Amino acid sequence: MEDWPIIARYDAAHLREIAMPIGGIGTGFFALGGNGRLTDWQLMSRPNRGWRPKYSHLIVRTKQTTGRNANAKLRVLETDLNDDLAADFGAPGTLAGLPRFPKATFESSYPFGRVLFTDRQLPITVSLEAFNPLIPRDTDA
């Protein structure tokens, strides 16, 4: 992971409000949410804030090859579902039953964004980085 200057770092209390756009204006884009979700998919000039395709998840799988704890572990690269759990229809969204990361931090220095995931049960460090190639006022780029 390359180092880049971090201008802002956000903790769990602020992750819900973060959505860093990935892609240009009028070109179609999605956003990297502070909790790791790929959200706000707006394709083919159709504004659709808050929408995400049914299976737009990134997943990590680990498996230790030796020892007593040689079982596989799977995590969706998002923090635990905490929104809309009081609804009549149960947990929202696709893959709601799969385990997610209990903690995350969002670091940014636009046009770069990074979600750092924490789970003491996994033998690895996990992060999700994004870069927005849009250069304001440079239409050729």
Side-chain angles (χ1 to χ4, degrees):
M1 174 177 5
E2 286 190 37
D3 289 325
W4 38 271
I6 297 166
I7 294 176
R9 183 173 283 122
Y10 301 93
D11 61 9
H14 300 92
L15 298 182
R16 183 178 177 193
E17 305 303 323
I18 296 170
M20 187 185 101
I22 311 295
I25 297 169
T27 63
F29 73 92
F30 62 91
L32 174 61
N35 56 7
R37 285 188 189 135
L38 302 178
T39 187
D40 296 344
W41 291 69
Q42 300 185 37
L43 306 173
M44 301 180 69
S45 299
R46 293 191 177 132
N48 216 351
R49 190 171 186 284
W51 181 75
R52 64 189 288 189
K54 193 172 187 178
Y55 295 104
S56 63
H57 299 79
L58 298 172
I59 296 176
V60 63
R61 178 183 180 266
T62 62
K63 183 174 181 179
Q64 293 178 320
T65 56
T66 60
R68 294 179 66 186
N69 297 325
N71 52 351
K73 294 185 189 247
L74 180 79
R75 297 287 183 278
V76 176
L77 284 169
E78 298 176 0
T79 55
D80 286 334
L81 295 173
N82 295 317
D83 302 335
D84 302 325
L85 294 180
D88 294 344
F89 47 83
T94 307
L95 306 179
L98 291 180
R100 288 162 164 73
F101 286 83
K103 293 183 180 179
T105 304
F106 189 89
E107 299 177 337
S108 68
S109 179
Y110 193 81
F112 301 97
R114 175 171 44 212
V115 182
L116 304 168
F117 296 99
T118 305
D119 189 337
R120 288 193 261 161
Q121 295 182 2
L122 293 182
I124 60 173
T125 301
V126 180
S127 66
L128 175 59
E129 295 184 15
F131 165 71
N132 188 347
L134 174 68
I135 302 170
R137 301 181 68 191
D138 188 348
T139 56
D140 292 334

